[in-house]
């Protein structure tokens, strides 16, 4: 009996099976990477949206007249707590790579300083307020840059939106 055709058939079958397994594994890895990227995009979008909405809310509350400083403080603290930033931050800590987590934590603390400043009576548009918002803007720009790098998206060549002026309206660049 001639064993050569049988061995070559078996070798071909083994090569075919191994090639199929490798192709399936590579396809699985690509799908897994896509799913992870989609999840990070979702987490990043939730975080940046929450940051933006909270900032607008804090500024609006600080502008409102309140019967007392205690009521103003309560309104600001409730807005910070109810914003969802803590949940978004925890998702970030679980999903994002360390540089993005550090950058998002920096933005979180900038917003905390803005909130605490308003609680302590800092006026909207004051030099101290402007400095805090400028720090938040720089921290947010750094965070977004790191998020874009992590997602494999190229850098932005211009600001997404202008910084607000003292009236809270977008300022011309």
């Amino acid at each position: 009996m001639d064993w050569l055709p049988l061995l070559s058939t078996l070798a071909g079958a083994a090569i075919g099976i191994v090639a199929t397994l490798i192709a399936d594994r590579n396809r699985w890895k690509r799908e897994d990477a896509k799913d992870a990227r989609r999840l990070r995009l979702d987490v990043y979008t939730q975080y940046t949206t929450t940051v933006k909405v909270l900032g607008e809310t804090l500024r609006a509350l600080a502008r409102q007249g309140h019967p007392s400083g205690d009521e103003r403080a309560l309104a600001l603290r409730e807005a910070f707590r109810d914003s969802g930033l803590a949940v978004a931050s925890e998702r970030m800590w679980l999903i994002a790579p360390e540089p993005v987590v550090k950058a998002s934590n920096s933005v979180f603390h900038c917003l905390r300083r803005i909130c605490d400043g308003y609680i302590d009576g800092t006026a909207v548009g004051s030099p101290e307020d402007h400095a805090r918002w400028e720090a938040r803007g720089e921290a947010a720009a750094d965070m977004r840059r790191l998020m874009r790098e992590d997602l494999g998206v190229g850098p932005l060549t211009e600001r997404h939106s202008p910084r607000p002026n003292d009236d809270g309206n977008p300022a011309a660049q």
Side-chain angles (χ1 to χ4, degrees):
M1 179 170 177
D2 191 9
W3 291 95
L4 191 57
L6 181 59
L7 289 176
S8 64
T9 302
L10 286 173
I15 290 171
I17 291 170
V18 169
T20 301
L21 290 173
I22 290 171
D24 285 346
R25 179 165 170 78
N26 288 339
R27 187 174 26 259
W28 174 79
K29 281 180 163 181
R30 281 191 308 274
E31 287 299 316
D32 194 43
K34 279 184 192 177
D35 290 344
R37 192 174 311 115
R38 276 190 218 113
L39 178 60
R40 288 192 318 276
L41 175 60
D42 182 46
V43 169
Y44 295 170
T45 302
Q46 179 193 16
Y47 193 83
T48 56
T49 303
T50 302
V51 162
K52 184 174 179 104
V53 170
L54 176 58
E56 292 169 358
T57 301
L58 292 175
R59 187 180 287 264
L61 285 171
R63 286 176 189 267
Q64 286 180 0
H66 295 278
S68 71
D70 287 343
E71 287 186 18
R72 177 182 178 173
L74 180 63
L76 288 161
R77 283 188 186 106
E78 283 180 354
F80 202 94
R81 184 185 63 241
D82 295 342
S83 69
L85 188 59
V87 172
S89 182
E90 287 301 319
R91 289 187 78 201
M92 187 72 73
W93 278 86
L94 291 172
I95 299 299
E98 185 177 356
V100 176
V101 170
K102 286 182 177 181
S104 67
N105 200 39
S106 178
V107 173
F108 179 94
H109 288 292
C110 285
L111 281 168
R112 183 83 257 168
R113 283 189 288 277
I114 289 168
C115 183
D116 291 343
Y118 289 151
I119 287 170
D120 293 339
T122 300
V124 174
S126 68
E128 188 178 0
D129 182 47
H130 182 73
R132 287 185 181 125
W133 279 100
E134 190 67 28
R136 192 222 49 97
E138 290 171 9
D142 185 49
M143 175 186 71
R144 286 188 187 102
R145 179 187 57 78
L146 291 167
M147 288 173 173
R148 291 178 68 84
E149 284 177 11
D150 180 47
L151 294 171
V153 179
L156 288 174
T157 56
E158 59 185 59
R159 281 187 57 80
H160 175 68
S161 60
R163 289 188 176 98
N165 61 18
D166 293 342
D167 299 326
N169 300 318
Q173 292 282 324

